[in-house]
Amino acid sequence: MNVEIRNTDTSKGKGLFAKKKINCGSVIFEEDPLVSCQFSWNAAYQYRACDHCLRPLETAQENATRLTGHFVELPYPECCTTDKSKIVSCIVCGEQYCSLECQTAAFNQYHRTLCLQTTERHNVHPLEQLNEAWKQVHYPPETSSIMLIVRLLARIIQAPNQDAAIEQTLQFCHRTVNEDAELAHNLLGEKFANQISLLHNLLMTAIPHDGIEQFLTPAGFQGLLALIGTNGQGVGTSAISQWVTKSSDLSLSADEREVLDKFIDNLYDEMDEHSGNFLNNEGVALYSLQSSCNHSCTPNSEPTYLHNNHRLSLVAIKDIEEGDEIFISYLDECMLDRSRHSRRKDLMKNYIFACKCPKCEEQVEEPDITSEEEEDMSE
């Protein structure tokens, strides 16, 4: 490994450090998650993804047709990476997978516990009711899913060594009960705070309790909500983006390149007009190693999904020297461009820490007003 986890000299506790020089653009490491799942509303709106790894189940042409609202015939169909001949379904519940390998992995890790008979569906089974209850308090844009907790607990239930699986889970639970409660309320939104009990009760009814009792107490459940709120990493996959990448790598004449570039630009304009910013299969995952990365408003690496599934690739976006700490941003690009006060407010609200990265320290003299207020003052 090019990295190691070790204690930091700050209040952050532990961090991820480079064991050798890593050049900008290099893949620092790749990692499969403990568990992952598609966002509930994303699935409800027919964004078809493998139920285990989130790989697209649509062809690029099907994807483009759905996102534009009309039939689209893509040139260079050989650049589509979706192999529909490998798609399989669970014969009991109908969940779809991109391959037999993914179906087997899901069954062995958590699906054996969670598989529902088709007759149990249509919001009758507690698992379905739990998912629907979550959707009613967590509208798009989605940042997490209650089903990640469900799969995490089912993984413990099915684990050959439950103690080891519990220890892996507890590595994420590092905040106090009071902080956990605060974050849980924020994750759901203050006006929905009373829904925590409903979600807890539905979870208690939905899955077996064997070996996971400590997570099913009210405090344990709030801790799990805090866990997915602070450690959940967004995952995005797309059939059309893979087609764009592959077709852009083709050896074409200048005229052919110009035609293709114009086609792609028009296609994205049409998708944006019909579907807005919601173009990808989106979900959330828990990564053991990546979760050790601390935040900086000037990160030196970023998580990407080069394999178009839930396998995370951490890529250096700057040269990283041996011994340097590896930082990612917990904020999206838009938020990173906002004021120091706005960034720190968002990080405190969602991650319960005050950022002291170099960018925030350099801007310490800035007035404590939000970016929106700055915009209002400039008008």
Side-chain angles (χ1 to χ4, degrees):
M1 292 290 291
N2 297 331
V3 297
E4 62 181 355
I5 300 171
R6 65 174 192 244
N7 293 329
T8 67
D9 55 2
T10 68
S11 60
K12 291 178 289 189
K14 293 184 178 181
L16 200 64
F17 291 81
K19 293 172 65 176
K20 67 177 185 179
K21 181 175 180 178
I22 302 170
N23 295 324
C24 179
S26 299
V27 175
I28 302 171
F29 65 80
E30 293 189 323
E31 179 181 18
D32 289 327
L34 268 66
V35 286
S36 66
C37 68
Q38 189 175 3
F39 287 143
S40 299
W41 281 109
N42 192 262
Y45 285 126
Q46 303 302 308
Y47 288 74
R48 295 185 57 225
C50 174
D51 193 56
H52 180 65
C53 78
L54 272 73
R55 185 183 298 278
L57 299 181
E58 293 176 308
T59 64
Q61 185 159 295
E62 290 170 337
N63 194 205
T65 295
R66 177 172 58 80
L67 293 174
T68 59
H70 65 82
F71 177 73
V72 174
E73 184 172 357
L74 296 181
Y76 312 110
E78 67 275 12
C79 293
C80 176
T81 60
T82 303
D83 187 350
K84 298 190 73 171
S85 68
K86 292 186 176 181
I87 296 175
V88 295
S89 301
C90 175
I91 60 173
V92 177
C93 67
E95 293 290 4
Q96 289 192 307
Y97 301 90
C98 67
S99 65
L100 180 61
E101 289 78 12
C102 267
Q103 182 184 22
T104 302
F107 186 81
N108 290 338
Q109 290 176 28
Y110 55 82
H111 189 68
R112 184 175 70 244
T113 298
L114 303 178
C115 183
L116 304 181
Q117 295 280 352
T118 303
T119 54
E120 293 180 306
R121 289 185 171 273
H122 307 299
N123 300 332
V124 174
H125 191 278
L127 269 178
E128 295 284 294
Q129 294 176 358
L130 176 65
N131 190 42
E132 286 301 312
W134 175 263
K135 286 165 62 180
Q136 297 312 307
V137 296
H138 204 71
Y139 292 97
E142 298 174 90
T143 59
S144 198
S145 172
I146 194 73
M147 302 311 289
L148 194 64
I149 290 177
V150 171
R151 290 190 177 183
L152 187 64
L153 295 178
R155 178 180 178 273
I156 296 173
I157 293 171
Q158 291 189 203
N161 185 335
Q162 282 196 343
D163 289 340
I166 289 173
E167 185 176 348
Q168 272 190 314
T169 302
L170 290 176
Q171 71 172 321
F172 296 105
C173 302
H174 55 274
R175 288 173 168 80
T176 67
V177 172
N178 287 339
E179 288 175 332
D180 282 346
E182 182 180 352
L183 181 60
H185 282 245
N186 176 68
L187 182 63
L188 298 172
E190 290 184 9
K191 64 180 179 179
F192 298 122
N194 61 343
Q195 297 298 314
I196 294 177
S197 294
L198 170 63
L199 294 171
H200 180 218
N201 291 335
L202 287 170
L203 178 67
M204 292 281 288
T205 308
I207 61 174
H209 297 185
D210 305 338
I212 59 170
E213 291 84 0
Q214 70 188 86
F215 298 107
L216 296 179
T217 65
F221 179 62
Q222 289 191 2
L224 289 174
L225 286 172
L227 184 159
I228 65 172
T230 57
N231 294 281
Q233 170 64 47
V235 179
T237 66
S238 169
I240 193 63
S241 69
Q242 286 288 295
W243 175 86
V244 168
T245 298
K246 296 290 185 183
S247 62
S248 298
D249 289 340
L250 293 173
S251 296
L252 303 175
S253 68
D255 289 343
E256 289 172 327
R257 175 66 57 196
E258 182 179 358
V259 171
L260 177 61
D261 289 345
K262 185 175 295 185
F263 178 87
I264 292 172
D265 288 342
N266 290 336
L267 178 62
Y268 272 106
D269 286 342
E270 290 186 10
M271 290 192 299
D272 181 68
E273 183 177 349
H274 183 74
S275 301
N277 294 324
F278 300 100
L279 301 182
N280 297 341
N281 302 322
E282 294 182 349
V284 63
L286 288 174
Y287 297 93
S288 181
L289 189 57
Q290 179 268 350
S291 69
S292 300
C293 290
N294 287 313
H295 165 84
S296 173
C297 296
T298 54
N300 54 19
S301 65
E302 64 180 8
T304 59
Y305 297 92
L306 302 177
H307 303 281
N308 207 29
N309 60 11
H310 66 192
R311 184 168 179 79
L312 180 146
S313 304
L314 192 69
V315 177
I317 57 175
K318 299 176 182 177
D319 287 341
I320 302 172
E321 300 298 326
E322 180 181 349
D324 284 354
E325 185 170 0
I326 296 170
F327 292 102
I328 61 174
S329 172
Y330 296 173
L331 306 174
D332 60 30
E333 290 185 16
C334 181
M335 180 58 74
L336 280 178
D337 290 334
R338 294 187 177 182
S339 69
R340 174 182 185 269
H341 182 67
S342 292
R343 298 194 309 271
R344 285 165 60 91
K345 182 179 178 182
D346 192 83
L347 289 166
M348 179 60 75
K349 182 174 66 174
N350 289 295
Y351 300 97
I352 318 297
F353 76 91
C355 185
K356 296 181 180 179
C357 74
K359 183 176 180 178
C360 286
E361 292 299 284
E362 289 171 6
Q363 298 173 345
V364 70
E365 299 300 326
E366 285 188 357
D368 284 344
I369 55 177
T370 65
S371 296
E372 291 79 9
E373 288 168 341
E374 290 169 3
E375 291 170 1
D376 291 340
M377 290 173 62
S378 65
E379 293 177 353

